[in-house]
Amino acid sequence: EQYILKGINLEINSGEFIGIMGETGSGKSTLVDIMMGLLQPNKGKLLIDDNNIWDKNNILYSWRYSIAHVPQNIFLSDSSIASNIAFGVQTKDINKSKLRKVIKQAFLDGFIKNLNKKDITEVGERGVKISGGQRQRIGIARALYRNSNILFLDEATSALDNLTEKNVMESIRNYNKKATIIMIAHRLSTLKNCDRIFCLKDGNIVKTGSPDEIL
């Protein structure tokens, strides 16, 4: 009965680090779901290199496949830390050197080093055996393991303390210099290294600019 987003018109360049901010209910997550090709808008188009992703299934599927997504609430299976990072990969096929690298990038190495079974420690159903911050860092490590060219972060560092978040964000920024990163965040400090920020209010983009201009 009511449109969540109204007259949104924006362009994102390959390799940009984009921040999206706004109050709860402003339409941030809906906008990201449309960008990822999970929701089809009632009107308008989502163009990737001038191709509307909804015109052909192969464009839609290849777009979705190119994305790594870290939501606020990470799904973890009742298996090991390693299996949850290399999600969907058979245990015997996990690339160990790549696994070690992303564990370090997500600042999980200190936590894992103190565990008796290291990265084969079971996390429990939905990660009940570990903290919220550790779950989020496993989600970030999972996205980095995929090494995708497009990374969506939806409140992906909300459970981290300020110092850990700062370190993790620097790692994310440096992990793939060519990656396009789109991040929703409430904490203004999280967005200070973005190239541009879109500020949403009541389904409209009310302000666009650099972190200095917006924050």
Side-chain angles (χ1 to χ4, degrees), residues 152-172:
F152 281 89
L153 305 166
D154 189 350
E155 292 286 358
T157 58
S158 59
L160 305 181
D161 62 80
N162 288 335
L163 179 60
T164 304
E165 182 191 52
K166 179 177 177 289
N167 292 333
V168 168
M169 287 307 302
E170 284 176 5
S171 276
I172 289 171

Side-chain angles (χ1 to χ4, degrees), residues 14-53:
S14 178
E16 273 195 300
F17 185 7
I18 297 294
I20 299 174
M21 62 181 290
E23 297 172 355
T24 302
S26 60
K28 302 184 301 295
S29 293
T30 303
L31 178 59
V32 164
D33 285 346
I34 289 173
M35 286 181 178
M36 290 193 293
L38 301 178
L39 284 179
Q40 185 171 5
N42 300 73
K43 296 178 181 178
K45 297 175 181 178
L46 175 62
L47 302 175
I48 310 300
D49 297 334
D50 296 324
N51 297 302
N52 184 2
I53 68 165

Side-chain angles (χ1 to χ4, degrees), residues 89-101:
V89 177
Q90 295 273 347
T91 304
K92 61 181 176 60
D93 296 326
I94 294 174
N95 184 322
K96 297 292 186 184
S97 63
K98 194 175 176 182
L99 180 69
R100 285 193 295 271
K101 184 180 177 182

Side-chain angles (χ1 to χ4, degrees), residues 9-19 35 46-50 63 149-152 173 176-183 194-198 208:
N9 187 20
L10 57 88
E11 185 173 307
I12 293 171
N13 301 308
S14 178
E16 273 195 300
F17 185 7
I18 297 294
M35 286 181 178
L46 175 62
L47 302 175
I48 310 300
D49 297 334
D50 296 324
W63 172 243
N149 287 324
I150 300 115
L151 182 59
F152 281 89
R173 192 70 171 112
N176 180 350
K177 293 290 188 182
K178 295 180 180 178
T180 305
I181 302 171
I182 297 163
M183 181 172 200
C194 291
D195 297 317
R196 284 188 295 152
I197 295 173
F198 296 117
T208 305

